[in-house]
Amino acid sequence: MNRECAVDMIIGSGETVNILSEYGFELVESPMIIYPEIRDYEIQKYPEEATPEVLAKTVKKPFDYPITFVYTGDKRAANGVINSFYGSLFSDTGDILTPNLVEIRNYLKKEMVKGYAKRISDIKAGFDTAGDAVMFTLTLFVNDPTACNHDLPSIRVYKSASTSSSIT
């Protein structure tokens, strides 16, 4: 794809990293959420009344956020890189996995979501003389939609093992 990847990530209490420079992943697809869904209203229905009573209070509804990445490079390394990445989304204490809070900042869509890794799915691999690619979808469970930002500024600051920069 050879383009600047405009997706940054924070895992747990770690530093902000660019997913392309840190993991070799590029963004393929993600949903655009302007405003999350709301929970259904509480309704009281009475047989003697045609119009139900509505408790006109609600909250934003938790949601799944699927984001598709592609790893390009040596096909022999793809499984290890993706497995290591997915493993970093959890704290492993033997038999018990505790998910780390993951923050994804998608600057192309001006979105920031915070959630917990739910699954990796839709894994597809393509190998030819032009290069090797493995595409997969990471789904986050966003349990607190109020912690998300659907109008992210266009400036980002991140640190990786080798660089620290600001891109506008």
Side-chain angles (χ1 to χ4, degrees):
M1 289 187 167
N2 275 338
R3 62 177 169 81
E4 175 63 29
C5 189
V7 177
D8 293 339
M9 180 178 287
I10 300 172
I11 300 171
S13 59
E15 293 186 350
T16 304
V17 295
N18 179 267
I19 61 141
L20 178 59
S21 60
E22 194 73 16
Y23 304 106
F25 302 155
E26 292 191 56
L27 173 67
V28 174
E29 182 180 23
S30 66
M32 184 159 188
I33 299 170
I34 303 298
Y35 196 87
E37 287 186 51
I38 60 171
R39 290 188 189 259
D40 291 338
Y41 296 108
E42 293 291 326
I43 297 175
Q44 288 285 332
K45 295 180 184 178
Y46 299 101
E48 64 275 5
E49 294 180 17
T51 307
E53 287 183 24
V54 176
L55 177 60
K57 292 182 181 179
T58 189
V59 295
K60 295 175 184 176
K61 189 176 183 179
F63 59 93
D64 285 348
Y65 187 81
I67 185 165
T68 302
F69 297 112
V70 64
Y71 171 81
T72 54
D74 182 2
K75 66 184 172 193
R76 293 170 298 223
N79 285 354
V81 170
I82 295 168
N83 187 44
S84 177
F85 163 71
Y86 193 63
S88 73
L89 304 179
F90 298 89
S91 295
D92 189 350
T93 58
D95 294 339
I96 305 295
L97 293 176
T98 304
N100 293 314
L101 184 64
V102 177
E103 180 178 317
I104 293 181
R105 297 177 186 167
N106 183 340
Y107 293 94
L108 295 173
K109 295 188 176 178
K110 297 180 72 172
E111 290 186 327
M112 182 273 295
V113 296
K114 291 181 180 182
Y116 297 97
K118 190 171 180 179
R119 71 178 158 270
I120 283 187
S121 60
D122 302 327
I123 300 169
K124 298 175 185 136
F127 311 110
D128 62 26
T129 56
D132 302 329
V134 177
M135 190 164 50
F136 65 94
T137 300
L138 168 67
T139 302
L140 297 180
F141 174 65
V142 179
N143 66 316
D144 182 7
T146 62
C148 300
N149 182 346
H150 302 285
D151 191 19
L152 201 61
S154 60
I155 296 174
R156 65 185 174 161
V157 177
Y158 63 90
K159 293 179 183 177
S160 69
S162 59
T163 63
S164 174
S165 61
S166 175
I167 299 174
T168 57

